[in-house]
Amino acid sequence: MAGRLLVATAVVAAAAAAAVGAAAALQAINVTTVAFEEGYTPLFGFDNILRSADDRTVSLLLDRSTGSGFISSSMYQHGFFSASIKLPSLDYTAGVVVAFYTSNGDVFEKRHDELDFEFLGNIRGKPWRVQTNVYGNGSVSRGREERYLLPFDPTTEFHRYSILWTRAAIVFFVDDVPVREVRRSPAMSGDFPSKPMSLYATVWDASTWATSGGRYRVNYRYGPFVASFTDLALLGCRVDPIQMLAGSDACAAAEDALLASDLAVMTLEKQQAMRRFREQNMVYSYCYDTVRYPAPFPECDVVESERRRFKGSGHLRLAFRRRRRTRPGSRPARPTRAADM
């Protein structure tokens, strides 16, 4: 066990250095941020929502009584949604899920759209994982999950997570580095999110599935679990969802401006940074999960050299391939398998 943790620590450190280099080569994303009251309202667990004196940092708590969350005051037809987040810092966070996502499930219950960042807690010594997902028009049976190991400790300082949603593509960012792009294609049909969505942030008990399929549950002796959010950004066209469905084109100019902005242009530098992040950190992809999805998804660009790194379940064959340096005569540690994560 100790050997595997040393390997994990060494490789995560190396990946973190590479991530810093990749981010440094990209133009920083600069958008206007808002105070909580300017763009958000409490959603649930009101006593577990703590706001800073300047109203620009919000902490969400999960304890024995409840989790907590907030929601944007408006719905948006496309946009850029961002927050700097610091995850719960206790050693044991199994079963805890921190989510930052867009959704319209409250309005379109049976055909909702959703774009997710889900941060999955873990047992002591294991790195935090983040899962991204895309749902369109109620396509919950066709989850488009990808999962990555974060190449840094997300509990010691804030890191920025962003979602760009346009009529042409969806891009997820971690610290200005694009980590996933889903381009719209005619074959996706309604699976591509198209209806107005709100922005949510929550922390909640997902003991039944979040850590090793529910093997490790939330242990409230280590609580309360605190996730903090700052640098809140809401860039998009505010809409009334009913008017949008009636055919309003009030957001057309705003959407065109967003598509033409630096945020939406996938430069060569961004493409290269995204490829490096995925090569170093992705541990699951639905595009390679032939067990759940025998027929490939239309937007999946299957690269044979990449496909060979994944099992038929979509999980990486070896999450950590490198071995730690050893003293002469000592036995090198076994690389950590994806299943160990």
Side-chain angles (χ1 to χ4, degrees):
M1 180 66 178
R4 293 201 297 270
L5 293 182
L6 284 172
V7 175
T9 301
V11 176
V12 168
V20 170
L26 299 175
Q27 181 179 354
I29 296 175
N30 293 312
V31 294
T32 301
T33 61
V34 298
F36 182 84
E37 191 169 323
E38 293 176 321
Y40 296 92
T41 187
L43 180 63
F44 71 99
F46 304 107
D47 291 339
N48 280 4
I49 301 176
L50 307 179
R51 294 157 63 175
S52 64
D54 63 0
D55 206 33
R56 290 187 172 272
T57 300
V58 185
S59 292
L60 300 180
L61 281 64
L62 167 65
D63 59 21
R64 293 180 186 273
S65 62
T66 183
S68 53
F70 59 85
I71 182 175
S72 61
S73 304
S74 301
M75 300 185 78
Y76 295 84
Q77 182 64 23
H78 304 128
F80 180 81
F81 314 101
S82 182
S84 293
I85 306 172
K86 185 163 65 172
L87 298 179
S89 59
L90 297 171
D91 287 340
Y92 187 95
T93 53
V96 177
V97 168
V98 176
F100 181 72
Y101 64 104
T102 66
S103 178
N104 48 36
D106 291 342
V107 178
F108 307 103
E109 184 176 350
K110 295 184 178 180
R111 52 192 184 94
H112 86 285
D113 306 299
E114 188 168 318
L115 303 172
D116 295 329
F117 270 115
E118 289 183 313
F119 304 91
L120 309 179
N122 222 326
I123 60 176
R124 182 180 290 108
K126 296 293 183 68
W128 273 82
R129 298 155 298 153
V130 61
Q131 176 171 284
T132 61
N133 209 342
V134 174
Y135 293 115
N137 206 33
S139 59
V140 293
S141 63
R142 300 184 299 279
R144 289 168 158 84
E145 304 103 325
E146 286 191 347
R147 198 170 300 136
Y148 326 92
L149 299 181
L150 288 172
F152 46 75
D153 183 347
T155 71
T156 58
E157 58 186 12
F158 286 93
H159 290 268
R160 179 155 60 174
Y161 306 90
S162 310
I163 300 170
L164 173 68
W165 171 44
T166 72
R167 61 175 177 263
I170 297 156
V171 185
F172 295 87
F173 296 83
V174 175
D175 283 341
D176 300 339
V177 177
V179 302
R180 178 181 182 184
E181 180 184 31
V182 178
R183 299 203 65 81
R184 185 173 193 166
S185 69
M188 286 187 71
S189 186
D191 281 5
F192 190 92
S194 60
K195 298 183 292 295
M197 291 190 277
S198 301
L199 192 284
Y200 295 77
T202 59
V203 58
W204 54 290
D205 185 331
S207 290
T208 57
W209 65 271
T211 307
S212 299
R215 180 182 176 189
Y216 301 100
R217 305 177 68 84
V218 173
N219 187 335
Y220 287 103
R221 290 185 302 168
Y222 294 93
F225 303 95
V226 182
S228 297
F229 299 76
T230 193
D231 298 332
L232 301 168
L234 291 167
L235 179 64
C237 183
R238 299 180 181 183
V239 299
D240 178 287
I242 305 304
Q243 290 180 355
M244 288 299 297
L245 290 180
S248 170
D249 60 353
C251 286
E255 292 175 16
D256 289 341
L258 181 62
L259 276 170
S261 70
D262 290 339
L263 289 171
V265 176
M266 187 60 73
T267 63
L268 178 60
E269 290 77 15
K270 288 182 181 179
Q271 294 176 31
Q272 292 173 337
M274 181 169 65
R275 185 178 67 250
R276 286 193 296 269
F277 183 96
R278 295 170 66 82
E279 288 175 349
Q280 294 163 1
N281 302 292
M282 189 166 71
V283 294
Y284 173 82
S285 173
Y286 72 105
C287 286
Y288 301 113
D289 191 343
T290 57
V291 175
R292 291 174 65 194
Y293 309 115
F297 283 72
E299 73 277 8
C300 286
D301 183 14
V302 175
V303 179
E304 183 59 26
S305 60
E306 184 177 73
R307 186 195 65 79
R308 290 195 296 266
R309 298 170 49 227
F310 291 84
K311 297 183 289 186
S313 64
H315 293 88
L316 192 65
R317 293 184 183 276
L318 288 176
F320 294 111
R321 295 177 178 272
R322 303 181 185 180
R323 298 177 182 268
R324 66 183 177 94
R325 295 180 181 178
T326 57
R327 295 184 299 273
S330 64
R331 184 178 179 180
R334 177 179 67 85
T336 301
R337 297 174 295 135
D340 294 331
M341 305 313 298

